[in-house]
Amino acid sequence: MRKSAQDRKAEIVTTVLDLADRIGPDRVTTGAVASAVGVTQAALFRHFPTKSEMWEAVADHVADQLTTAWEAALANHRAPLARLTALVGAQFDKIAETPAMPMLLFSRELNVENDKLRLAFRGRLVAFQALLVAEISNAQNDGALRRDLEAPDIAILITSLVQGVAIRWSLGARDFALRDEGMRIFNVQMRLLTAQEV
């Protein structure tokens, strides 16, 4: 039974992400994707006329997955500090589900050859940081976090923490649970941020 165009596109996107994780995003070729999917390159190009469009579909997929995870994390909590913690946990969960994600942010494909892809991922990082800033500000207003630090600075600190742990996990042997380790470090940081103001 032939797959619908929508199902085939979804399969191609999943395959690109799998290959990006296994061989690195810069080594993913349309030939490798077609071979992994089990179609010819001509068939692949019927779904995505250019390699750039294929990567844009990958970016859209990742962006949709992240947005859905963030919305769910925020919907399940009322207190700002709980919402902040849930956001960070959701981010680690999505990275664990899509291990290529950290490397996509630093790939040559992303940063040099494909402006739309770069902007799409940068847009997700900016959106994540904006959500963090909002919850940090709310937590500061509630007295749950120190007020002597700027919310955007705390958000940058948290974003860097997430990216650092994710890259360490992604490039390493993956011999630790990403979410567990990430949240352990995040909780240490939160203890420092909830300390008495100096």
Side-chain angles (χ1 to χ4, degrees), residues 70 80-92 95 105 125 127-140 144-146 149-167 178 181-194:
W70 298 338
L81 205 50
R83 289 166 60 91
L84 177 62
T85 302
L87 273 173
V88 172
Q91 187 76 352
F92 281 124
I95 293 168
L105 297 173
L125 282 176
F128 180 62
Q129 205 159 345
L131 292 171
L132 293 176
V133 168
E135 297 309 326
I136 291 163
S137 295
N138 291 335
Q140 287 175 318
L145 288 179
R146 291 171 50 173
L149 301 171
E150 297 293 325
D153 292 341
I154 296 172
I156 289 169
L157 178 70
I158 293 170
T159 303
S160 299
L161 179 153
V162 170
Q163 290 176 325
V165 174
I167 289 170
L178 176 61
E181 178 67 1
M183 294 310 291
R184 183 189 68 76
I185 296 170
F186 171 76
N187 288 326
V188 168
Q189 190 63 58
M190 287 298 99
R191 282 195 295 276
L192 296 173
L193 293 172
T194 56

Side-chain angles (χ1 to χ4, degrees), residues 33-60:
V33 174
S35 177
V37 171
V39 298
T40 64
Q41 269 189 286
L44 182 76
F45 286 128
R46 280 196 295 276
H47 297 289
F48 297 107
T50 66
K51 184 178 181 184
S52 192
E53 288 180 39
M54 181 180 72
W55 277 112
E56 288 163 26
V58 169
D60 288 344

Side-chain angles (χ1 to χ4, degrees), residues 12 14 73 93 143 146 158 162 166 171:
I12 291 167
T14 301
D93 287 341
R146 291 171 50 173
I158 293 170
V162 170
L171 290 177

